[in-house]
Amino acid sequence: HLRRGPLLNPGPTLSLDDRAEVRSFFLRFPLNECLSMMEPLLWQCGKDSNHGLESIPPETLVLWSNSVIATDCFNTLIVWSGRQVAASPQHAAWRDLCLSHLASRSKDRFPVPQLHVVNENDSMSRRFTSRLAPSHDDSLDHNLTNFPALSAPQLEAIRGKFQCHDPEADPSFRRWFWNVASASSRSKEVGISLCE
């Protein structure tokens, strides 16, 4: 997640000055703010949640069409709505719950983070999905172990959202980790950068 966040990733909108400013904040701010700079914090509400926000991991397998997700990336706040929940009568209430949660988390934050409200099929939803770890590329056993609420058809539907994903250019964390940690790895000899 560190390489996707505002500290290392230049992104399409951050200039060198903006990144330098975020790095200086990282050295001075409290732990909770720094954690959101390193890894996006996500909360989900929707049809399968218990009428409130529940914390979820920042992975692509959380992109369920029947949920609304609130994301805090320190300098960017995102509310993402799935396709099925957008047609639901409770959608406005769930979206407002996410917006109020993000507003309370960032009320004393300087500089004020940008807020994006996006839907599943919007072109701007890539701002959100690019910050998530590509766990959809892991094996079926790993995915069903880490997300037991998912069924195999739901998993295939989520994988279908990433048809253009190149697993060699952006490997999942588990694939990257086993490439580094396996006994046959040459990473000790050549080294592996966070930016690769």
Side-chain angles (χ1 to χ4, degrees):
H1 296 289
L2 187 60
R3 68 182 179 155
R4 288 181 171 82
L7 293 174
L8 296 179
N9 182 14
T13 58
L14 289 180
S15 68
L16 291 174
D17 292 339
D18 292 337
R19 282 190 288 160
E21 183 179 29
V22 170
R23 289 175 186 158
S24 71
F25 291 151
F26 180 76
L27 296 174
R28 296 182 290 136
F29 279 8
L31 177 65
N32 286 340
E33 299 292 334
C34 294
L35 290 177
S36 68
M37 287 183 204
M38 293 174 15
E39 175 182 71
L41 304 173
L42 276 69
W43 299 270
Q44 175 184 28
C45 66
K47 293 181 181 177
D48 296 335
S49 62
N50 299 328
H51 303 314
L53 292 172
E54 57 186 40
S55 182
I56 55 175
E59 301 182 14
T60 55
L61 288 182
V62 300
L63 299 175
W64 300 1
S65 292
N66 61 354
S67 65
V68 178
I69 299 174
T71 308
D72 183 359
C73 305
F74 178 72
N75 61 346
T76 306
L77 305 173
I78 303 170
V79 176
W80 180 90
S81 299
R83 186 174 6 110
Q84 290 176 0
V85 80
S88 167
Q90 297 95 351
H91 175 248
W94 289 331
R95 187 184 59 221
D96 291 342
L97 176 66
C98 290
L99 287 169
S100 65
H101 176 72
L102 291 175
S104 68
R105 282 191 54 83
S106 64
K107 66 181 176 185
D108 297 326
R109 195 174 295 171
F110 178 81
V112 177
Q114 296 176 352
L115 175 65
H116 302 282
V117 179
V118 298
N119 292 322
E120 182 174 341
N121 293 327
D122 289 350
S123 64
M124 295 306 288
S125 68
R126 68 182 179 273
R127 288 181 183 262
F128 173 57
T129 57
S130 68
R131 296 173 189 260
L132 303 177
S135 59
H136 63 275
D137 198 35
D138 287 338
S139 69
L140 182 65
D141 295 336
H142 278 116
N143 289 337
L144 293 178
T145 301
N146 293 324
F147 293 92
L150 279 178
S151 64
Q154 287 174 315
L155 181 60
E156 290 305 318
I158 292 173
R159 285 182 174 174
K161 296 176 186 179
F162 299 96
Q163 295 173 355
C164 299
H165 177 256
D166 181 9
E168 298 302 320
D170 194 14
S172 70
F173 173 75
R174 286 173 190 81
R175 184 175 295 196
W176 177 83
F177 177 77
W178 285 112
N179 185 30
V180 173
S182 69
S184 63
S185 175
R186 295 190 52 221
S187 64
K188 297 175 194 106
E189 301 164 13
V190 296
I192 290 185
S193 166
L194 279 175
C195 299
E196 288 180 355

